[in-house]
Structure formats: structure tokens, C-alpha cells
Amino acid sequence: MKGRRRLFAVLPTMLTLGNLVCGFGSITISAKLVQSDNTLPFLALLGTTAAREGQGLLIAAVLIYVAMIFDAFDGSVARLTNQTSEFGANLDSLCDVVSFGIAPAFLMLQFTRIHAPHSLWEDPGSHLQRLLFVIAALYAVCAALRLARFNSEIDEEDTHAEFSGLPSPAAASVVASIPISYLLLVRSTGEANMAVTDWAGQALQLVLPLVTLAVACLMVSRIRYVHAVNHLLRGRRGRAHMIKLVFALAVVYWQHEIAIPLILCWYAFAPPVRSLFEMVFSRRLPKPTEI
């Protein structure tokens, strides 16, 4: 029985390390795209340099989502096998810094600098280039601070029903969804609507750094966020909730190029907007007079 417990203890750790490998792979693929030859073995068959860059960025972004799958399962497996430990929690946060802190920041840098058409950030050493680096560095720093705070404040009895501040995987999913959305849009429209995709690329070059900076600030905020999976899928729900979920999935399948980033941005930005409205209206409401 003792040997069996040791065998099960390996599984959560391997899942956590799978998270790290995916984050490292995302960074490696993104970094390879800035080299002049662009000769990653599995990208060399894609033809032009633009096609290789697009495919490389798509793979780098998807690897961040694969890292989220590993991150979602390692804790569940550890609790299921009764193998939770302080070592596992610390290892998980260290891996999350790479996959959800550094990899999304690097992906944002590469997308805005080398892929989107008519790059606004291509002049080396310019003020815009330095600003872009500052935003990426701030994102990585905020992700590390968010994870450190989570470890220091977590309680063993915590059910993760809510989070204080935007979770780092959710922030990473917002950043990674925008390059994926753009690249899928380019593939779906092809040459027929090049003007539309060209305009979208230029707009996203401005939007993505701003979104990255915004979610970085939200990670270190104290705004409450619900656990999306627990809120949507766990517990007993009424028929109306099921119908809304089915229709939402249908819309995502129909217009996944734009639906997924919009849903993720709604999750990230709706709570702060709601908190702002509540704060403004609470100040305007007259205070009750004492009798």
C-alpha cells in the first residue's frame, strides 16, 4: 500500500511539469520566429515566411491553453489521490509563472512586432518598442505577484469558489485568444477580404498591448472573480441555465474566431466595470437620515 501511494504521488507532479513544458514550448516557438531563417523543423513545410510565422504563433498560443489543461487537472488529481502537499502547491505556482506569466507576455511581444501587417512597433530602439517591453515586463511581474499572493493567502479548506484578483490562467487566456482569433480570421477569409483582415491586424496591434496591461493590473487587484467552471458546470441548475449554456456553445462554434476572445474579455472586464458602477452609484445615492 505504501508503494502504491508513492506511485500515485508521481501523477500530479508530472501533470504540473507538463504545464511547465507547454509554457517553455510556447516561449521557444515564439522566440524562434524572430530569427532570420525561421527554420523550425515542423514549420519549414508550411511554405512562405509569413505562413510559418502565423503557424508558429498559433502553436505558441495553443500551447498556453494546453498548459491550462494540465494546470486544471493536477490539483484535482492530487486531491482525488489524497496527495496534496506544500511542495506540489509551490511547484504549481513556479510552473504557472512560466506558462501564464512569461509565455503570454512573450507571445504579445512577438505578435505585435513581427506578424501583424504594417507593424507599428518595428523600429528598433524606438519609444514604442520600449513601451511594448515595459508592458510585457509588467505583465510578467504582476503574474508572479498574483501567484505569490495566492500561495500566501490560500486556505486548506478553500473551495476556490471565488478569487481575489483575476486568476493568472484567465489573464493568459485573454492575451493568447487575440492572436488565435486573428490568425483564424485570416485563414477563414483568405484573399477575398484581405482589406478586412489587414484592418483587423492593425487594430489588434494597438488593442493587444492595452489588453495585456489591463489584465496585468486586474491580476494584482482585489476584485472578486467567480470560478468559471464551478459556476457554469457544477451544482444543480435550472432549465434556463442549461438552455443559455447550449446556445452559448452554439454561438462559439458558429463564430469561434471572435466569440472566444469576447467571452474571455467579458469574464476579465465585467467584474471591474460592475464594481466601478456600484461605487459611483453608491456615492450618488443619498444617505438615509437618522430619525
Side-chain angles (χ1 to χ4, degrees):
M1 188 68 179
K2 188 175 181 181
R4 190 176 180 182
R5 284 183 181 176
R6 289 179 180 175
L7 179 62
F8 270 108
V10 173
L11 184 56
T13 303
M14 295 303 293
L15 291 172
T16 304
L17 294 177
N19 170 10
L20 174 64
V21 170
C22 289
F24 177 73
S26 176
I27 296 170
T28 303
I29 293 174
S30 297
K32 194 72 175 178
L33 296 177
V34 300
Q35 297 182 7
S36 58
D37 55 354
N38 288 312
T39 54
L40 278 178
F42 52 87
L43 300 181
L45 300 176
L46 297 175
T48 65
T49 300
R52 291 198 300 271
E53 289 177 356
Q55 186 73 6
L57 286 174
L58 183 62
I59 294 172
V62 169
L63 280 174
I64 294 175
Y65 285 92
V66 178
M68 293 178 198
I69 296 175
F70 282 111
D71 183 60
F73 279 103
D74 60 358
S76 299
V77 170
R79 288 187 291 271
L80 185 65
T81 57
N82 196 25
Q83 296 293 339
T84 57
S85 64
E86 185 178 354
F87 167 80
N90 290 329
L91 179 64
D92 183 70
S93 291
L94 288 172
C95 296
D96 286 353
V97 169
V98 176
S99 298
F100 310 135
I102 299 175
F106 208 86
L107 179 67
M108 183 272 293
L109 280 174
Q110 302 308 80
F111 177 79
T112 52
R113 287 169 59 185
I114 69 171
H115 184 72
H118 310 300
S119 178
L120 302 172
W121 316 91
E122 60 187 1
D123 185 16
S126 66
H127 291 288
L128 289 177
Q129 279 266 351
R130 282 179 275 176
L131 175 62
L132 199 64
F133 173 80
V134 168
I135 292 174
L138 283 175
Y139 177 90
V141 167
C142 290
L145 292 173
R146 172 68 177 83
L147 291 163
R149 189 182 72 187
F150 177 79
N151 270 6
S152 63
E153 296 179 352
I154 191 65
D155 186 2
E156 291 184 0
E157 302 298 326
D158 196 348
T159 59
H160 299 321
E162 285 189 339
F163 298 102
S164 176
L166 182 65
S168 58
S173 69
V174 172
V175 175
S177 69
I178 294 178
I180 291 177
S181 176
Y182 171 72
L183 294 168
L184 292 179
L185 185 64
V186 170
R187 285 187 173 187
S188 62
T189 56
E191 297 182 0
N193 294 309
M194 285 300 296
V196 175
T197 55
D198 186 67
W199 174 86
Q202 295 179 56
L204 291 178
Q205 279 190 298
L206 293 174
V207 170
L208 183 55
L210 296 177
V211 168
T212 303
L213 180 60
V215 295
C217 296
L218 290 174
M219 278 192 288
V220 294
S221 71
R222 287 292 183 178
I223 298 172
R224 307 300 298 182
Y225 285 87
V226 299
H227 193 299
V229 176
N230 291 346
H231 181 72
L232 292 175
L233 302 179
R234 293 185 181 179
R236 293 181 177 272
R237 301 288 180 179
R239 184 182 301 175
H241 177 82
M242 182 61 67
I243 292 174
K244 291 178 182 178
L245 189 59
V246 170
F247 271 93
L249 291 174
V251 171
V252 169
Y253 176 77
W254 175 43
Q255 292 289 338
H256 55 274
E257 294 91 351
I258 60 174
I260 293 177
L262 287 178
I263 291 173
L264 292 171
C265 286
W266 176 84
Y267 175 79
F269 297 116
V273 171
R274 190 183 305 117
S275 299
L276 180 61
F277 271 98
E278 290 175 355
M279 182 178 65
V280 170
F281 282 109
S282 64
R283 289 180 178 179
R284 290 185 177 181
L285 290 175
K287 296 182 179 179
T289 57
E290 296 182 0
I291 299 176

